[in-house]
Amino acid sequence: MDFCSLPKIDLHCHLDGSVRPETIIDLANDQNIELPSQDVEVIRNLMIAPETCVDLKEYLTRFELPLQVMQTKKSLERISYEVFEDAAKENVKYLELRFAPLLHVRNGLTVEQIISSVVKGMKRAELDYDIRGNYILCILRTMPKDDIPQVIEAGAKYIGKGVVAFDLAGAELAGFCHDFVKEAKAARKKGFHVTIHAGEQGNGQNVQDAIELLKAERIGHGIHIIDHSGGFKAVRNGNVGLETCPSSNVQTKAVQDIESHPAKRFYKQGLAVTINTDNRTVSNTTMTQEVQKVCEQFYLSQKDYVAIYLNSVEQSFASDAIKQELRNYIDEL
Ligand SMILES: [Zn+2]
């Protein structure tokens, strides 16, 4: 298989984890932000999480550098454009990019300005390249809950116009879903789809809770349903999409190594498995590499890949018209 030319879909990718190191240097110089180095390779190494981190916490420290330069409308627009550009160049046909607007208010931008800037960058890339996209708005579970309604309110204006879903991300404590029932309900009422990071570091019960309490239609990672029958059944019975991110899972020690990743097992069990990057820079990866890794490691055929791609189409929060466009790429194979 020529992995680069295959059409691909990324449903789980973080904006701040996918910034080009060159852009960090450019923007920092523009904004008079002091960097530890002007050398692209040094900056790249500071952004890439080690092959295996101590834990998710160490992995998350890699986001601080990009966040420093992502506090203006111009930088948000540019970075959004560039992530779509990079994805388009490796034949990603549809990208659902996610980010937490509240991480970008340090210099006084409003949540509305922040969302509007990234959507603008995405729309510009859609005009220049053969790629379509949407945004997912994340809330970090450690953020003050009082701030969540303003994200839902501001995002609601962009539903159907570049924003499609609501997500909870960041460090995963057992039972966290119980604390967000009201917020997820408010988001659904405004027309947001729901996807939740769960069962990555935490347990399978979190996955079951995300589906039952928060009505998640997709789960970020979901690895730990492997030893939790309630979580497994909730995913299977609800045809809930699993946003699998193999390289990231090895880095954060959610799995020991790629060989022990449950992606193939879940796929063979008929779950709606999808393959995604999580973070293009922090995880030092691309969709081409993730697809290649999974296909080669688990001896998947092109037919298997097509089935996984079609899972991504069905599980995406795209409009029916875009879903049809995405299916058409398969007919050309
Ligand atoms: Zn993630």
Side-chain angles (χ1 to χ4, degrees):
M1 273 186 275
D2 174 0
F3 295 100
C4 188
S5 67
L6 281 178
K8 290 175 282 292
I9 293 173
D10 193 350
L11 299 179
H12 190 127
C13 180
H14 293 262
L15 178 70
D16 51 354
S18 304
V19 186
R20 295 177 192 162
E22 296 84 348
T23 300
I24 302 261
I25 295 177
D26 241 24
L27 291 172
N29 292 342
D30 258 14
Q31 300 171 27
N32 293 320
I33 293 168
E34 210 181 310
L35 286 178
S37 169
Q38 289 288 319
D39 184 327
V40 175
E41 289 316 309
V42 174
I43 297 298
R44 191 189 308 279
N45 283 329
L46 285 172
M47 295 172 74
I48 297 174
E51 189 73 6
T52 55
C53 295
V54 177
D55 54 16
L56 181 65
K57 237 166 116 190
E58 184 189 346
Y59 183 82
L60 294 176
T61 60
R62 304 289 156 162
F63 295 85
E64 188 40 43
L65 192 55
L67 284 175
Q68 281 183 38
V69 304
M70 297 174 79
Q71 305 296 331
T72 69
K73 288 195 271 186
K74 209 173 124 195
S75 63
L76 287 165
E77 198 271 350
R78 171 173 169 181
I79 290 167
S80 176
Y81 177 88
E82 289 181 352
V83 176
F84 276 93
E85 181 176 53
D86 291 345
K89 285 185 172 167
E90 54 150 346
N91 286 308
V92 173
K93 301 300 182 189
Y94 179 74
L95 168 60
E96 276 177 17
L97 201 49
R98 63 184 74 196
F99 83 125
L102 292 171
L103 292 176
H104 306 275
V105 297
R106 288 181 198 174
N107 293 353
L109 289 183
T110 65
V111 172
E112 158 112 43
Q113 287 171 323
I114 291 162
I115 297 171
S116 128
S117 304
V118 297
V119 169
K120 214 168 131 193
M122 173 181 77
K123 298 274 179 201
R124 185 158 66 87
E126 283 181 330
L127 291 175
D128 290 351
Y129 293 97
D130 190 13
I131 188 167
R132 307 301 294 262
N134 275 305
Y135 264 94
I136 295 170
L137 305 185
C138 306
I139 296 290
L140 299 191
R141 287 174 274 233
T142 44
M143 284 172 167
K145 283 180 69 186
D146 291 351
D147 290 341
I148 301 177
Q150 57 167 318
V151 176
I152 295 173
E153 281 304 316
K157 294 180 198 145
Y158 289 87
I159 293 287
K161 297 176 197 145
V163 169
V164 284
F166 172 85
D167 173 33
L168 295 173
E172 184 186 346
L173 296 175
F176 74 87
C177 292
H178 292 272
D179 297 332
F180 293 95
V181 173
K182 201 176 89 190
E183 288 74 14
K185 193 174 177 189
R188 293 197 312 273
K189 222 172 141 192
K190 293 278 185 189
F192 286 83
H193 289 282
V194 177
T195 176
I196 303 286
H197 280 75
E200 178 185 13
Q201 300 295 311
N203 52 36
Q205 183 64 48
N206 282 349
V207 175
Q208 186 176 349
D209 290 350
I211 296 166
E212 291 176 358
L213 301 175
L214 309 181
K215 315 290 177 208
E217 297 150 81
R218 296 199 321 237
I219 293 292
H221 306 289
I223 296 162
H224 290 281
I225 60 169
I226 196 156
D227 51 13
H228 189 276
S229 66
F232 184 90
K233 280 183 196 152
V235 167
R236 191 190 55 199
N237 297 345
N239 189 32
V240 172
L242 289 177
E243 301 161 0
T244 299
C245 310
S247 294
S248 162
N249 294 153
V250 175
Q251 282 178 313
T252 62
K253 291 220 171 109
V255 294
Q256 267 312 308
D257 46 36
I258 203 75
E259 211 180 324
S260 46
H261 199 288
K264 183 174 185 183
R265 180 166 152 186
F266 290 158
Y267 167 67
K268 291 286 177 198
Q269 285 167 322
L271 303 187
V273 172
T274 65
I275 302 172
N276 313 277
T277 56
D278 208 5
N279 296 286
R280 298 177 64 91
T281 308
V282 173
S283 294
N284 193 23
T285 196
T286 59
M287 268 308 290
T288 303
Q289 287 179 45
E290 292 306 294
V291 169
Q292 181 162 7
K293 221 177 228 187
V294 172
C295 288
E296 290 183 351
Q297 179 66 47
F298 299 122
Y299 304 104
L300 297 182
S301 64
Q302 181 153 319
K303 205 172 139 221
D304 293 318
Y305 174 69
V306 167
I308 291 172
Y309 175 91
L310 290 173
N311 281 344
S312 297
V313 176
E314 298 316 317
Q315 292 291 337
S316 79
F317 299 137
S319 65
D320 288 343
I322 290 181
K323 284 186 179 181
Q324 193 48 50
E325 278 176 34
L326 295 173
R327 283 186 207 103
N328 292 343
Y329 287 111
I330 290 301
D331 301 336
E332 293 163 19
L333 278 182

